[in-house]
Amino acid sequence: MRGRMMQTPLLISSLIEHAGRVYGTQEIVSRTVEGPIHRYTWLDARNRSIQLAQALGAHGITAGDRIGTLGWNTYRHLELYYGISGMGAVCHTLNPRLHPTELVYIVNHAEDRILFVDLTFVPLAEAVADKLPGVERYVVLTDSENMPETALSNAIAYEDFIAGSDGDYEWPVLDEGDAAALCYTSGTTGHPKGALYTHRSTVLHAFGVAMPDVFNMRPSTCVLPIVPLFHACSWGIAYSAPLAGAKIVFPGPRYDPEALTDLMTAESVNYCAGVPSVFIPLVQYWRDHGNKPPSLAMAVMGGTAPPPSLCAALEEDFGIEFRHAWGMTEMSPLGTVNTLMPEHRALPLEQRRIFQTKQGRPPFGVEVRIVDDDGNRLPHDGIVFGELQVRGPWVIQSYFKDDESRLTEDGWFPTGDVATIDSQCYIHITDRSKDLIKSGGEWISSIDVENTAMGHDDIVMAAVIGIPDERWDERPILIAVAAPDSNPTKESVLEHLAGTLAKWQLPDEVYFVDELPMGATGKVQKTKLREQYAAE
Ligand code: ADP
């Protein structure tokens, strides 16, 4: 027997409509690329998204067309999220930190018809424009006053692009399974691959993200997404904020600790989210200047495993609740969050800190399991590790323009991460499967060694890679960045590691460098390190 309830499609346009109607006066504040702070409301955002949708229609954009964005976290980029997807086209966020040749590949593969480009990225777009024959028009995210001279063909300022629209427009009622947004993974092997989200997956993910034990979004939330709108849809924050009525504060192009701190303080930000490499200098800045933003109460960190020392600094020195999260572009991207239960809060501090290195539990909507090399399920005992597989309504099935299903025969997505799962379903990522080091038949977790190394007072960043070894197959080496004005030695680092690691897990070499090669999404590029150090 069929139920008798409405079949209302879950659409991205309904998120912004809801925010405009219910939280119409709640603010969105942006540091603009032009400089000044811009401030308006969810109702304004809704109205201007409508204007944008209308303008796209007038340009001949139809359902399913891909529209690229090269933008910082600002209100205009937010409008692109809603105007593009809301009218039925696909909002394709591009990561400007990628190598230009990779960008060219991605824009052409996606067949983007229009590129929306922030002022900062106009030179980047100009440099590659002749290799992008399919792009019909460039819209620079500014007004005519700030519009630069540009070699881009058919360029127009965003404010002029939307100015002709009168707002007399109804969002189309789309199929919730239609494509809404597109994000390419950085593709450590082969070409980048596109994760093509649906309206349904995006709205369900927004519900999941807003939950109390996840990002805890509500009208009293004032969130500063440090994670860019161009990285995995800012972890869903731009969709869950209108759903929950949160205030958003966008940092624009400025990610330096001073700019972030000033903005957080001025706007009473109480929650922020980003990758560890942004928080490390931020925490140092607060220490040096004694100016942690007073309202900041919670920080979600993910993308890569944060060192326990960072978690300790946030919680003990600054009273900020630390939530460790894990996910991937293929999962919209949220997979798990480590929110402590009362029994974990009651643990002795040292044990609690160890517990917080776990990546957490899945919210409703994500299921997790681990399997061995033959695909057999492994126990959730917190000890045995295997490949982590996931499933759920916001997990990918196949990549854009690639009909091959990426799922196992029984319908799970293999993440390529290796993990344990404990009896309460907290996962602990041991490694990316390709980063695990196999030495003398035993596995060494590069993340464990890195985390321990970063517990050394004089080490701020560390990466561990395996290099080929005749006798042991592979042996770990450590490449570290020393804290300013410090002079750690190989011996002191090894001595520190020996405090908690077994002898065979200790790196054979410790190299000190000024900086580690970072990829476009804030992760250490271990492939580069392997190339460089394999020969040493
Ligand atoms: P890309 O695939 O483009 O590098 P993603 O953001 O999709 O970028 O990366 C997903 C991968 O990042 C995960 O599969 C995992 O290996 C790693 N990752 C994400 N969050 C964490 C975390 N908290 N701890 C350890 N690894 C993480």
Side-chain angles (χ1 to χ4, degrees):
M1 189 194 294
R2 301 275 297 157
R4 295 189 176 221
M5 305 306 279
M6 290 187 195
Q7 287 286 345
T8 310
L10 302 173
L11 299 179
I12 287 179
S13 55
S14 60
L15 294 172
I16 193 95
E17 276 301 309
H18 174 74
R21 241 184 347 254
V22 180
Y23 307 112
T25 55
Q26 186 74 301
E27 278 186 317
I28 297 161
V29 179
S30 312
R31 187 191 294 284
T32 61
V33 180
E34 294 90 340
I37 298 291
H38 174 274
R39 158 187 314 275
Y40 73 172
T41 64
W42 277 111
L43 181 58
D44 298 323
R46 178 262 178 204
N47 291 342
R48 281 170 51 93
S49 302
I50 289 257
Q51 276 185 282
L52 170 62
Q54 230 180 338
L56 289 167
H59 182 85
I61 298 299
T62 56
D65 286 344
R66 273 79 64 200
I67 308 294
T69 74
L70 262 176
W72 295 111
N73 285 12
T74 69
Y75 67 104
R76 290 194 183 109
H77 204 171
L78 181 80
E79 292 164 12
L80 294 171
Y81 264 51
Y82 289 96
I84 296 172
S85 303
M87 64 89 62
V90 177
C91 180
H92 174 204
T93 49
L94 290 153
N95 186 336
R97 296 181 188 138
L98 291 175
H99 192 275
T101 52
E102 220 165 4
L103 271 180
V104 167
Y105 171 85
I106 292 174
V107 173
N108 288 331
H109 187 264
E111 298 175 71
D112 291 330
R113 286 187 58 189
I114 302 182
L115 275 194
F116 286 83
V117 184
D118 249 330
L119 281 169
T120 323
F121 306 123
V122 168
L124 172 61
E126 285 172 337
V128 295
D130 64 335
K131 300 190 182 70
L132 307 175
V135 176
E136 298 157 25
R137 157 144 259 184
Y138 291 85
V139 182
V140 181
L141 293 165
T142 190
D143 52 21
S144 45
E145 224 170 282
N146 291 287
M147 184 71 180
E149 286 280 320
T150 172
L152 292 171
S153 62
N154 213 1
I156 183 173
Y158 178 81
E159 295 302 329
D160 294 339
F161 185 73
I162 65 169
S165 313
D166 60 8
D168 183 14
Y169 177 89
E170 293 279 329
W171 295 113
V173 181
L174 307 165
D175 184 312
E176 65 178 17
D178 285 348
L182 178 61
C183 263
Y184 281 71
T185 64
S186 35
T188 32
T189 52
H191 281 305
K193 297 188 281 294
L196 186 60
Y197 310 117
T198 62
H199 285 265
R200 174 186 155 83
S201 69
T202 306
V203 173
L204 290 174
H205 180 262
F207 272 115
V209 166
M211 299 275 281
D213 263 11
V214 186
F215 289 1
N216 193 17
M217 304 282 271
R218 46 176 76 190
S220 55
T221 303
C222 178
V223 56
L224 189 146
I226 299 179
V227 52
L229 287 164
F230 60 72
H231 184 205
C233 299
S234 66
W235 299 349
I237 291 171
Y239 298 119
S240 58
L243 175 144
K247 171 178 170 181
I248 302 194
V249 179
F250 285 125
R254 289 201 48 196
Y255 278 81
D256 54 290
E258 184 184 0
L260 288 174
T261 303
D262 288 352
L263 197 56
M264 286 181 190
T265 305
E267 296 301 326
S268 302
V269 167
N270 51 25
Y271 162 46
C272 65
V275 291
S277 54
V278 177
F279 281 95
I280 292 170
L282 196 56
V283 162
Q284 189 57 45
Y285 178 78
W286 296 338
R287 272 207 194 102
D288 293 346
H289 296 81
N291 62 353
K292 177 237 152 188
S295 47
L296 189 60
M298 186 168 94
V300 171
M301 220 172 289
T304 171
S309 49
L310 186 56
C311 159
L314 286 170
E315 293 205 339
E316 285 156 42
D317 300 348
F318 298 111
I320 297 171
E321 180 185 345
F322 166 89
R323 290 192 181 180
H324 184 185
W326 166 85
M328 56 198 308
T329 304
E330 287 88 340
M331 298 183 72
S332 302
L334 187 95
T336 60
V337 180
N338 188 341
T339 306
L340 299 181
M341 294 200 286
E343 69 227 56
H344 305 129
R345 291 187 192 285
L347 287 171
L349 196 58
E350 204 166 310
Q351 282 180 40
R352 175 174 156 178
R353 293 284 168 250
I354 291 170
F355 189 80
Q356 284 175 296
T357 61
K358 294 196 183 205
Q359 280 74 6
R361 299 201 284 184
F364 173 76
V366 176
E367 284 178 85
V368 294
R369 73 174 185 186
I370 43 174
V371 299
D372 66 15
D373 288 346
D374 299 322
N376 301 311
R377 283 187 93 133
L378 293 168
H380 291 189
D381 60 6
I383 298 166
V384 175
F385 59 85
E387 187 188 33
L388 180 62
Q389 301 190 337
V390 294
R391 68 176 179 187
W394 60 75
V395 177
I396 196 167
Q397 177 151 341
S398 59
Y399 290 99
F400 179 48
K401 289 189 175 174
D402 177 359
D403 290 335
E404 185 194 340
S405 165
R406 297 296 170 147
L407 309 187
T408 60
E409 269 174 18
D410 58 349
W412 292 70
F413 177 72
T415 63
D417 285 341
V418 178
T420 64
I421 303 179
D422 69 20
S423 57
Q424 293 170 307
C425 219
Y426 282 81
I427 70 163
H428 189 198
I429 305 280
T430 324
D431 236 322
R432 203 83 182 132
S433 51
K434 60 182 186 310
D435 293 338
L436 262 182
I437 299 160
K438 192 159 200 184
S439 183
E442 295 288 344
W443 293 105
I444 299 174
S445 154
S446 66
I447 295 182
D448 272 359
V449 185
E450 287 158 9
N451 277 345
T452 314
M454 286 189 270
H456 185 294
D457 286 342
D458 295 339
I459 303 289
V460 279
M461 290 271 276
V464 171
I465 53 167
I467 53 164
D469 183 275
E470 259 178 37
R471 177 156 178 218
W472 302 108
D473 224 0
E474 273 189 319
R475 287 297 301 151
I477 62 166
L478 175 84
I479 302 125
V481 179
D485 305 322
S486 75
N487 215 354
T489 59
K490 172 180 170 182
E491 289 67 34
S492 79
V493 173
L494 290 179
E495 194 183 316
H496 172 78
L497 293 175
T500 43
L501 298 176
K503 209 166 169 205
W504 56 273
Q505 295 175 317
L506 296 181
D508 282 2
E509 280 304 333
V510 178
Y511 297 103
F512 294 99
V513 292
D514 292 338
E515 55 183 16
L516 290 167
M518 300 299 282
T521 57
K523 298 178 216 293
V524 174
Q525 289 178 306
K526 291 198 176 175
T527 39
K528 281 220 170 126
L529 290 176
R530 279 191 207 101
E531 280 164 24
Q532 194 183 337
Y533 286 90
E536 300 251 339

